[in-house]
Amino acid sequence: MARMKFICDTERCIECNSCATACKNEHEVPWGVNRRRVVTINDGIIGQEKSVSVACMHCSDAPCMAVCPVDCFYRTDEGVVLHNKDACIGCGYCSYACPFGAPQFPSNGTFGLRGKMDKCTFCAGGPEENGSQEEFEKYGRNRLSEGKLPACAEMCSTKALLGGDGDVVADIFRTRVITRGKGSEVWGWGTAYGNKPQQDSVPQELAK
Amino acid sequence: MLLTRKNGDGSRQATRAGRFAAGLSESLARALPTMDRRAFLKRSGVGVGVGIAASQWQLVKKAQAADKPAEASGLKREVRRTVCSHCSVGCAVDAVVENGVWVRQEPVFDSPINLGGHCAKGAALREHGHGEHRLKYPMKLVNGKYQRISWDVALEEISQRLLAVRKDSGPDSVFFVGSSKHNNEQAQLLRKFVSFFGTNNCDHQARICHSTTVAGVANTWGYGAMTNSYNDMSFSKAVMYIGSNAAEAHPVSMVHMMHAKENGCKMIVVDPRFTRTAAKADQYVRIRSGSDIPYLYGMLYHIFKNGWEDKEYIHDRVYGMEAVREEVMKWTPEKVEEACGVPEAEVFKAAQTMALNKPSSVVWCMGQTQHSIGNAIVRASCILQLALGNVGKSGGGTNIFRGHDNVQGATDVGPNPDSLPGYYGLATGAWKHWCTVWGVDYEWVKGRFASQAMMEKSGTTVSRWVDAVLEKNELIDQDNNVRAMVFWGHAPNSQTRGLDMKKALDKLDTLVVIDPYPSATAAMAAMTVDGQELNPNRAVYLLPAATQFETSGSVTASNRSIQWREKVIEPLFESRTDHMIMYQLAEKLGFAKELVAKIKLVPGKGGMLEPEPESMLREINRGTWTIGYTGQTPERLKAHMRNMHKFDVKTLRCKEGKDEETGYDLTGDYFGLPWPCFGTAELKHPGSPNLYDTSRHVMDGGGNFRANFGVERDGVNLLAEDGSHSVGADITTGYPEFDHVLLKKLGWWDDLTEAEKKAAEGKNWKTDLSGGIQRVCLKVHGVHPYGNAKARAVVWNFPDPVPLHREPIFGTRPDLVAKYPTHDDKKAFWRLPTLYKTLQQKNVEAGLAEKFPIILSSGRLVEYEGGGEETRSNPWLAELQQENFVEINPQAAAARGIRNGEYAIVSTPTGARIKVRALVTPRVAPDTAWIPFHFSGWWQGKDMLEFYPEGAAPVVRGEAVNTATTYGYDAVTMMQETKTTICNIEKFTA
Amino acid sequence: QQDAPATAPAAAPQVQSVDILKQDQAERTRAQPGNAAPVWRTVNAGTENYSSLPYREAGVLIQQKVQYPGQDRPVSAGEAWRRFRNGPLLHVGGWLFLAAIAACAALYFIAGPLKIKGPLTGRLIERFTPSERLIHWSVAITFVILMLSGLTMAFGKFVLMPLIGHGLFGWLTYALKTVHNFVGPLFAVSLVCMIVKFARDNLPVMADVKWLLSLGGAIGGKHPHAGRFNGGEKIWFWGGVLAMGVLVTASGFVLDKIVPGLDYTRHLMQLSNVLHLVAASLVMAASLGHIYLGTLGMQGAYRAMRDGYVDDQWAKEHHDLWYDEVVRGDVPRVRSQESAPATAPRTV
Ligand SMILES: Nc1nc2c(c(=O)[nH]1)N[C@H]1C(S)=C(S)[C@@H](COP(=O)(O)OP(=O)(O)OC[C@H]3O[C@@H](n4cnc5c(=O)[nH]c(N)nc54)[C@H](O)[C@@H]3O)O[C@H]1N2
Ligand SMILES: Nc1nc2c(c(=O)[nH]1)N[C@H]1C(S)=C(S)[C@@H](COP(=O)(O)OP(=O)(O)OC[C@H]3O[C@@H](n4cnc5c(=O)[nH]c(N)nc54)[C@H](O)[C@@H]3O)O[C@H]1N2
Ligand code: HEM
Ligand code: HEM
Ligand code: SF4
Ligand code: SF4
Ligand code: SF4
Ligand code: SF4
Ligand code: SF4
Ligand SMILES: [Mo]
């Protein structure tokens, strides 16, 4: 079974926000909830600026899952970390635990009233029957079950965002790195998956 | 614990109903022409070496699935292929429609242009199917409030008022602002509509967008368009973006750049701001806004000094390079640095990169065009490419990224004040040509105008309609001032001098806005500033137009490829298609019969008749020989849309393939038949992927520079030199454009059929409606009907034949104004007096540079488009940019005590004071500030929400930068100067 | 800023000493093109970068690194918090709670409840006025609700969920969490009243030290002297009620996002949760002791809390100094106006 992962190739990402919008469109995500967002590091600093698109990374040892008081997370056999909104109590713990700020809430959390947590599903829906109306209303489309990949990655303008079988995306990425001879950092992988083609954000000289 | 979910394990089968829906969406999934996962991933890897990429493309197979929509369920589900309506990249989209509702949007991986990719706007297209913030029915301004009226009343009242204006003040007192959002068919129809109304007072976005490019480039080598394509950039070895922020304005084009880059292409970005595009560059050069010519000449200085110019190419194909060289050599590195702020080493490095990594390409956009010397700047860029011998080469060229989705098409065939469709101009011959094509009587059309003189005189421009309304009558070059405005798909906040515009709007007699989102104009017209009274004699009407997803038609991308949009949904609410409205208004105005003389009518919304898009395209095909819009029949275009996967991503060519539905053979065609696609469809010209490319046969899309300016000047040969011609041409030297005389002289006349001879007699390649002359030239003799000439480095018919640097009218550098002053004032320029030197001088004398010490520039955000009313009405986009802001350097901000995120007041010499958030960022230098121009709905700090038609206000409103922009127009095209003005920025205190 | 290594003489040993950790990306690109380490270092530092979204922490890519006591290295704050909470906090907290129950049970079954030794006099002293009782019961009831709901949030998935199933547990926890978040502030208000009301009589005196040294009489076998409240109660008051109560309340307010003007970053929430859990664990464990003594553990105490009156004998045995005061008349037998001793005193 494939292990689904994301790579955002920061040498390509141009902060066009297509990924973020594609997600909104595909899943009818409401205002204020951002399953995916784009962040620019060193904004405006010549020679140092990099943009990264970030959503749930579907971590191997997912902190969100570990802290959830009602255990509403589960992992599919493709490694996708999903959750059950029926069980979610909106405590926000997953959002405190998630390194990437993935979990989102429809409401602001005063008196703990956040509503049900929502986050990137890797376009794989939720516990309801695949493709059902109920699943769509709670989690958005289930593209994986249709044999498609995440909308965000599919619509990425520059194909900076790769989503799919971890081995395949890593391969594509590696080939790119080899042809261009730079930009080998796989952003977020160290944190999310613990395994590392090149440990993500750990500076190379320290990783050695 | 539920930690692992197995596909299809018991627990999920057990879940409630939803069976039906599940089946539904599964078969839906299958019905979609999309990729499977594997294929997607393969596509994503493209660009890793030509070989790999090419083979990967071949590997890609569509997910072939039972193409049976589940009709059994009584649900009608279709997939309609359309094209994003936001920018000129032309990204294809598959819209999934269920029972007439646009339920889903899928990427089209097959599109060679976008490979399934989108930017934020394209990824949010489906919101057009909701349209919650659109104008839903016709409205009229009554006592300061918009009230609903019926279509019948609206059309009746509008036409009565227009006829009254026409009667009292003549047809030139009505100004029609058309749209680059219209498809080709609508754009052409509108030009015809305006002509039949009897005026040339019409224009569209191209004026304030690439008019300087079109004029400058066409006058340099023939056609005013992007020479190559986005895709072709993957063949470049070096690319210089100068005045283009493609990552935000043409995001999907970047995928081709990335492919090139990964294969070693060097990328240079020259821009006053460190943009998202610059972030990807190998070299970023910060110049002062408006100083492109010094910079480009600085590069040419090093090129000439080091002998890097392509001498043979210049000899064979360029006229006047010596004169340019003389000017260039005056631009010593010191002067260059003084004028544009770039040290010699940087300029040298860029010159070296471009000269030693060929083919190298230059990309430009608004950074070059929107200046009072825009025409000269773009020509300087052309000259650079001519000197390097890059034009007419794959991987080279001038990749001019155009603006709106169909600004290219609207420029080609739409409502231009100085030309009939196809750049035929306004001379008698042009009118006669089009009258024949339209099937109307020339004399009748002439009678519609005030006079033949007015019929052949260019109209006013959209950049100056305000002055056409406000200027003293004795100073304008038409009998009466403009009294009625029809905004037909154009926003108000995109034109400069907002304060003056408000006055003009109030002075109008009639204002008609025909737009899905007319609200910016509506609010501006309805608002009362400082308790002012509205003009009681003015009438304001809003008509809800349908969007491009509610009709079908063709759209020309920046690379001149034409794509066909299928209709996705029926016009929402009470909206009607633009061509239906044109037809219905023409009925009321009394020229409906003529308008559709040769066009088929079909039932549209509510069974009402409207012109058929296919039929309208055929009319374009019949008439537009100049630029080769003749070969792109609806059938060919539709075949291309169905078979996108058969076109190569890099060359855009179909190696081999047939359209299954019609049996049409696509082999050899370039995707979208990029114009010129000469001759009739039967000729099967494949379209021209790169203009002026002599390395290909003309029937393979090859070409050479156009002979548009005579054969010699002052004894100097203007035609190409011996041996310079397109591959396989029967004439191996330069030659003039073809007409019946030349054909006969060459003894080629008998290559025409008898019928063709009859049609071609007395005609030239542009006016021969049989296409015989073109056929004989191209097919029989391999020559270009438009001749084979040199490009002009010196454009003698322009104010500065050799491009000269001139300082902007509002600038921060009086010291440089002394050295590089602007033009002299002009009288009767596009019917209006236009100020240059007197105003510049006045500004210097008033010491404006001290009061307004910061250069103010403006431009684009990826999320919004144009005036922004449409995109700001889309919540998926609006959430991403919730307030307007000014980019200000940390140093400048600190000096003013402004902190990031606080409100600031930006004031300009017009007296405007706009309130925006401060984005304190090193993107801009301390002497420059930048504001996105997409906002409207605030007026100098006040939210205008109350003046919007009910329910039609966009989600996000903000201060329009154009409320504050200043005077200044290009000396050839009347382009407004939006990229350089001056301002002061203060901390906002409530 | 810093000299790029390239500018240093090639052979000079200083080259090695250029602090690469201080290089910014521009410098690094000059020295070693293609290496983006400085950028990624920024990312890992949890820096708030640019994002067009105006939301809190939208610009943070990965939370900053944090190391809680007992952790071997700093990791992403969320992960560190997860390890700390799911590890030591829940473990210690959980065991502490169980230990407290066990201790009470042991006391009860081994030592048995503390009986009043002498015969009851039938004469009553008003120990708690109605308002004191009202406050106490508000505190007590809200506390118990908070404790039960808090426990469910913290441990329910290990204890309750396997018993009642995921669905039911989800609903129950949702209900309890909501109750917790609204009852919290009520508890806080009652708590403040309690502190104001009881603080004076809880001021420590010398006798308390002796009381504590003899562990309330467990050592030495005879009742040590005590005022109205004995040393143990005062520990409960100052330590349990005041210190822990304030901590748990303050952190609770933050978790509830009802403190105005605060920037509710995830890190703040993590820290509040840690504080909340620590304080809650301690106060819950301690409260078990308190509740045990107030109910099963000590004859007469519960009545005092329920009805307000104690028998002279009870007072003499447990709070002799206070009893002396009452006898001396320094403290009136009945302090409340409304319920004068008219009503027939009940026996214990
Ligand atoms: N997202 C989005 N995309 C769009 C549009 C949109 O509205 N939104 N509009 C479309 C249209 S109509 C157009 S025309 C294109 C425009 O596309 P672009 O021209 O690429 O976009 P702009 O932001 O207007 O300007 C480009 C850059 O020019 C720089 N510039 C300013 N002054 C100068 C100068 O004097 N010299 C140089 N060299 N650079 C300068 C600015 O800093 C800016 O970064 O985008 C199209 N695409
Ligand atoms: N300060 C400053 N000003 C600028 C610029 C700048 O960079 N700085 N850029 C300039 C440039 S390059 C341009 S192109 C202009 C763009 O500015 P505009 O073209 O004025 O702005 P848009 O909002 O794109 O206008 C298009 C209008 O067409 C409507 N529309 C969309 N589809 C249809 C349709 O099918 N039918 C009809 N009837 N209407 C439709 C939209 O709702 C919208 O109101 O702005 C110019 N102004
Ligand atoms: C002394 C009484 C209290 C006890 C024993 C207590 C106990 C707890 C416990 C055990 C948790 C779960 C922590 C975890 O699982 O990590 C918790 C969470 C919480 N407590 Fe308390 N708490 C008390 C008082 C308060 C008060 C006074 C407030 C608010 C004013 C409050 C607000 C919260 C909030 C907001 C949460 C997070 C739960 C959520 O929002 O989902 N608590 N509490
Ligand atoms: C069901 C739960 C509880 C019971 C049965 C209970 C019982 C009692 C009893 C019987 C007394 C009187 C002791 C005496 O007369 O000396 C008492 C006193 C007191 N209780 Fe409680 N109690 C409970 C919960 C709480 C809680 C949750 C708090 C505070 C967080 C609390 C704070 C106090 C205080 C402050 C006193 C006065 C003693 C002192 O100030 O030192 N009680 N309680
Ligand atoms: S990224 Fe965050 S939400 Fe997603 S699995 Fe990892 S910890 Fe959970
Ligand atoms: S918010 Fe929901 S999903 Fe997140 S930890 Fe709490 S209960 Fe679990
Ligand atoms: S994978 Fe799907 S749910 Fe996740 S961010 Fe992308 S589009 Fe949204
Ligand atoms: S769509 Fe791709 S390029 Fe655009 S922001 Fe997202 S990841 Fe970056
Ligand atoms: S706006 Fe332009 S780049 Fe973006 S999706 Fe539309 S056509 Fe493509
Ligand atoms: Mo434009």
Side-chain angles (χ1 to χ4, degrees), chain C residues 42-84:
Chain C
T42 318
V43 168
N44 259 8
T47 318
E48 177 88 49
N49 302 292
Y50 173 83
S51 162
S52 72
L53 290 169
Y55 305 129
R56 183 177 295 116
E57 292 187 278
V60 179
L61 275 169
I62 303 188
Q63 292 188 38
Q64 81 276 35
K65 296 209 160 168
V66 161
Q67 184 173 13
Y68 284 97
Q71 296 184 342
D72 56 345
R73 66 193 166 92
V75 287
S76 155
E79 171 66 11
W81 169 70
R82 161 240 179 132
R83 289 187 196 171
F84 197 54

Side-chain angles (χ1 to χ4, degrees), chain A residues 108-119:
Chain A
N108 72 357
T110 312
F111 289 109
L113 297 177
R114 293 178 175 81
K116 305 280 180 184
M117 187 275 274
D118 188 270
K119 74 165 187 68

Side-chain angles (χ1 to χ4, degrees), chain B residues 84-91 117-119 121-123 249-252:
Chain B
C84 174
S85 65
H86 288 300
C87 91
S88 66
V89 174
C91 302
H118 284 296
C119 71
K121 300 180 295 305
H250 305 87
V252 171

Side-chain angles (χ1 to χ4, degrees), chain B residues 570-645:
Chain B
E570 288 300 319
L572 287 178
F573 313 111
E574 285 190 16
S575 72
R576 297 182 183 176
T577 62
D578 289 297
H579 45 288
M580 179 184 276
I581 302 171
M582 286 174 214
Y583 177 65
Q584 292 175 341
L585 264 180
E587 278 183 315
K588 301 270 182 198
L589 293 168
F591 53 79
K593 228 173 64 238
E594 289 82 0
L595 190 73
V596 295
K598 295 264 174 130
I599 293 173
K600 193 170 144 198
L601 291 174
V602 290
K605 175 160 185 168
M608 291 176 288
L609 289 181
E610 66 178 10
E612 184 204 44
E614 281 85 351
S615 175
M616 291 193 278
L617 174 54
R618 274 187 252 281
E619 182 162 273
I620 295 173
N621 293 153
R622 278 200 307 278
T624 319
W625 300 91
T626 40
I627 50 172
Y629 258 75
T630 47
Q632 302 97 333
T633 55
E635 293 73 23
R636 282 179 96 186
L637 294 183
K638 287 178 187 175
H640 278 221
M641 296 306 281
R642 279 191 294 267
N643 294 281
M644 285 180 160
H645 56 289

Side-chain angles (χ1 to χ4, degrees), chain A residues 1 4 9-18 20-22 24-26 28-34 40 43-47 49 51 65 71 73-78 82 86 124 126-135 141-149 153-159 161-165 168-169 172 175-176 179-180 182, chain B residues 1-7 12-13 15-19 21-22 25-26 29 32 34-37 40-42 44-49 52 103-107 109 115-120 123-126 130 247 251-252 254-255 258-259 261-263 274-276 279-280 282 284 286 862-863 875-880 882 921-923 955-956:
Chain A
M1 254 293 158
M4 293 297 170
D9 182 348
T10 53
E11 293 295 312
R12 282 200 182 198
C13 178
I14 54 174
E15 205 227 349
C16 75
N17 269 319
S18 170
T21 327
K24 288 250 166 185
N25 182 343
E26 181 70 349
E28 303 267 8
V29 183
W31 184 289
V33 175
N34 296 277
T40 302
D43 174 53
I45 305 178
I46 297 170
E49 186 181 295
S51 294
M65 190 182 264
D71 232 348
F73 290 87
Y74 60 98
R75 196 191 313 278
T76 72
D77 42 17
E78 286 176 314
L82 296 178
D86 291 342
E128 280 79 9
E129 186 171 350
N130 281 343
S132 63
Q133 185 62 24
E134 242 192 317
E135 183 189 48
R141 309 265 178 200
N142 188 335
R143 294 176 65 89
L144 288 197
S145 73
E146 297 170 5
K148 296 175 192 159
L149 283 165
E154 288 198 344
M155 288 201 201
C156 170
S157 60
T158 60
K159 304 287 169 249
L161 184 63
L162 302 170
D165 183 341
V168 181
V169 292
I172 292 174
T175 326
R176 276 186 201 169
T179 38
R180 71 187 171 212
K182 64 167 175 172
Chain B
M1 259 186 266
L2 237 181
L3 279 184
T4 321
R5 180 181 85 174
K6 297 220 164 45
N7 272 334
R12 36 192 2 217
Q13 301 304 345
T15 44
R16 295 132 285 218
R19 264 289 142 68
S25 92
E26 237 152 81
L32 279 177
T34 182
M35 310 261 81
D36 59 17
R37 288 183 205 172
F40 163 73
L41 292 167
K42 290 233 163 69
S44 304
V46 112
V48 284
I52 306 174
V103 294
R104 237 176 134 174
Q105 167 182 349
E106 289 289 343
F109 293 103
L115 325 176
H118 284 296
C119 71
L125 277 192
R126 190 172 63 87
H130 301 185
V252 171
M254 290 295 282
V255 73
M258 293 301 169
H259 292 171
K261 257 194 99 187
E262 271 154 28
N263 290 312
F274 182 72
T275 60
R276 295 286 183 254
K280 294 285 172 282
D282 297 294
Y284 165 65
R286 199 192 287 283
V862 66
E863 295 84 1
W876 299 327
L877 295 170
E879 186 179 0
L880 292 163
Q882 302 181 12
T921 170
R923 289 178 199 169
V955 184
V956 160

